[in-house]
Amino acid sequence: MKPVEDIAWVCPPEPIRGLDHLGVQAPCTTLYTQLLPGITNVTDRARYYAFYPWVIWSFERRYADHSLDEFRRVLRRAECLFALIAIRHARALDDADHGRHGIGMVGRFELLRIGDDVEEISLNEYAALEGPKRYFKNKLGGLGQYYFGPLRDLRILDHSPQGNDYPLGYDRERGRELAEAFAKGVAEDAFFRGLEASAITWSDLDELASFCPCGLRASPVEQELLHDLFLARTATYDVDGGPARRASLGLMLDLVRRDGKNPTYTYEALLRGASYAGALPDGSPWELEGALLRARGGWGTYQRNELLSAAVQGLFAAILRAIQRDHRGVLRESADAANVGERLLSSFGARLARPLADEIAQVRGELPPLANWTAPEHELERGWQLLDLGLEDDQLEDAAEKSIQILLALLARGVDEYPYADFELDPEYFDPQEVHLLSLRQASRTTWAAMSLGEWIRWLSVHWCVGRHLRVALRKLRAERRDTFRIRPLEGELRVVEAPAPTYTLPRVTRAVQILRDLDLIDVEDDGLLLTERGRAALEVCRGG
């Protein structure tokens, strides 16, 4: 029998649910990546930025065998022990505030299953590369899966110059400085005794409480260096992206100072709204200067792109569900989506025959002021309303209408000639055939200029929805051999597989807030976030950047 790899080319592509079925979220991801470089959606805790260089530095000093296999063994046991210490510390203090202790620790979900009644814990069982209790699949654990890329970009870690068979290396300036600072605040020898023990007890973990993420506040040298790193306070840590990260974190600190205890909005929603509108929820101007003003402009552009993305996704989802509801899940060809889209917007009545330009002018006169972003008719609120909708049969018309209202509002507010001026992006980066703010502006001045509202809706239904999805899915099929079709081309028909609900991207804000908390720049109370004294000092540093 032939090996599987010899016949793989005849196997059907693997169906996966996939993400970004229209390719409309890619610009949003590019923008938030530039706004918060060095922090990702999986780098949850500030102390890992010092812990990992410390592990590599300690491995180099403490172990004679520097093979990759030995490094993997030590790293995996170190990650498990680090997470167990945080779990135990929270339990010992009977502290339900997991944001101070174990939340976001690598392997936490598996290790939380260990009960207090367990007398001895074998790290081998959890750190093993295989087995039912394995804490992490990646051979290099959370470092390989989550942290190595950002730490490399920050020039803290790198691949070892000794080749692929040697463990990862640390930067001899930044990485070593962080490693030595981490060492000053913890019981190193006790940690490695526990790491190499055949079993550890909960009381052993109590002796290592200084390793808990909350211990960063009692480790002043490490804490100051991490402030230098995240806020790019010194020339050593002001590497690529440092000023942008400092400005975004400063912007977040400023917003906490002004409105960190808002009962209506999550902090991320507050940042989205205030940046987009340049105003706080009460409508008062969010007055900023210098780097923080530029950062707010960047986040506002990001949110504008998010609204465009969500609106197109919403129309696409409503069309696919309407095909399932009204056409038994089948269309003859993508051009037929035009009829489906127009029927979903039949509530517009005679307005469908109006010139699109006239409709945009009317919307411009009816929109709430940009600063009044909490108004139900504001495009920001409509964006959240759209995301909160289900895709039930009786909600499809509402979803399609909100999607079109958001797009009309974006056109009515106007799009700058080059809306991405706050970012380091080549103007050629944005393909005119893709969906982004530049193509929105260009299409409004050319392709859509002479259309009626109804013709525009029909065009969107085909070119930016069903037809676009087929092109994106075919591209993924060719490049990755992955089947991401939500409406699948079959012989003589298109059949709906599933209607993906519209979503926003995850712009790293939640992780950034946790890191600011780890650094003691903000704190959490029952009614929200507040700025600490350290946070006020840090804000002044960010303002000066």
Side-chain angles (χ1 to χ4, degrees), residues 3-15 477 481-483:
V4 172
E5 58 266 22
D6 288 349
I7 60 173
W9 65 276
V10 298
C11 297
E14 178 187 355
L477 183 63
R481 280 194 58 79
R482 293 291 187 266
D483 175 1

Side-chain angles (χ1 to χ4, degrees), residues 405-428:
Q405 287 169 335
I406 293 168
L407 291 172
L408 288 170
L410 290 173
L411 292 170
R413 299 283 189 198
V415 181
D416 292 342
E417 183 174 352
Y418 185 62
Y420 302 108
D422 290 323
F423 297 88
E424 295 180 7
L425 294 168
D426 190 310
E428 301 300 318

Side-chain angles (χ1 to χ4, degrees), residues 448-468:
W448 304 339
M451 288 183 179
S452 67
L453 177 62
E455 289 169 338
W456 178 62
I457 291 169
R458 294 174 65 85
W459 188 96
L460 291 172
S461 301
V462 177
H463 294 278
W464 275 13
C465 290
V466 173
R468 175 165 184 80

Side-chain angles (χ1 to χ4, degrees), residues 515-528:
I515 285 172
L516 291 173
R517 188 182 183 198
D518 286 347
L519 297 175
D520 193 24
L521 302 182
I522 62 173
D523 211 342
V524 176
E525 292 187 342
D526 291 341
D527 55 350

Side-chain angles (χ1 to χ4, degrees), residues 323-324 327-332 487 492-496:
I323 295 170
Q324 290 178 314
H327 301 273
R328 298 183 179 180
V330 175
L331 281 188
R332 183 174 54 85
I487 180 167
E493 68 178 30
L494 299 172
R495 183 172 293 275
V496 175

Side-chain angles (χ1 to χ4, degrees), residues 232-246:
R233 294 193 307 187
T234 65
T236 300
Y237 293 97
D238 192 0
V239 297
D240 294 345
R245 182 176 60 256
R246 178 176 61 234

Side-chain angles (χ1 to χ4, degrees), residues 480-539:
E480 306 170 22
R481 280 194 58 79
R482 293 291 187 266
D483 175 1
T484 59
F485 289 99
R486 298 301 89 191
I487 180 167
R488 181 172 289 125
L490 301 172
E491 187 174 354
E493 68 178 30
L494 299 172
R495 183 172 293 275
V496 175
V497 176
E498 181 187 32
T503 62
Y504 278 159
T505 57
L506 300 174
R508 308 176 177 181
V509 172
T510 302
R511 269 56 181 188
V513 167
Q514 179 63 56
I515 285 172
L516 291 173
R517 188 182 183 198
D518 286 347
L519 297 175
D520 193 24
L521 302 182
I522 62 173
D523 211 342
V524 176
E525 292 187 342
D526 291 341
D527 55 350
L529 305 176
L530 72 156
L531 206 60
T532 65
E533 286 305 312
R534 282 182 177 273
R536 293 182 187 279
L539 177 56

Side-chain angles (χ1 to χ4, degrees), residues 211-226:
F211 283 85
C212 183
C214 72
L216 177 58
R217 300 186 182 194
S219 182
V221 177
E222 179 192 358
Q223 186 179 42
E224 285 301 304
L225 280 181
L226 288 174

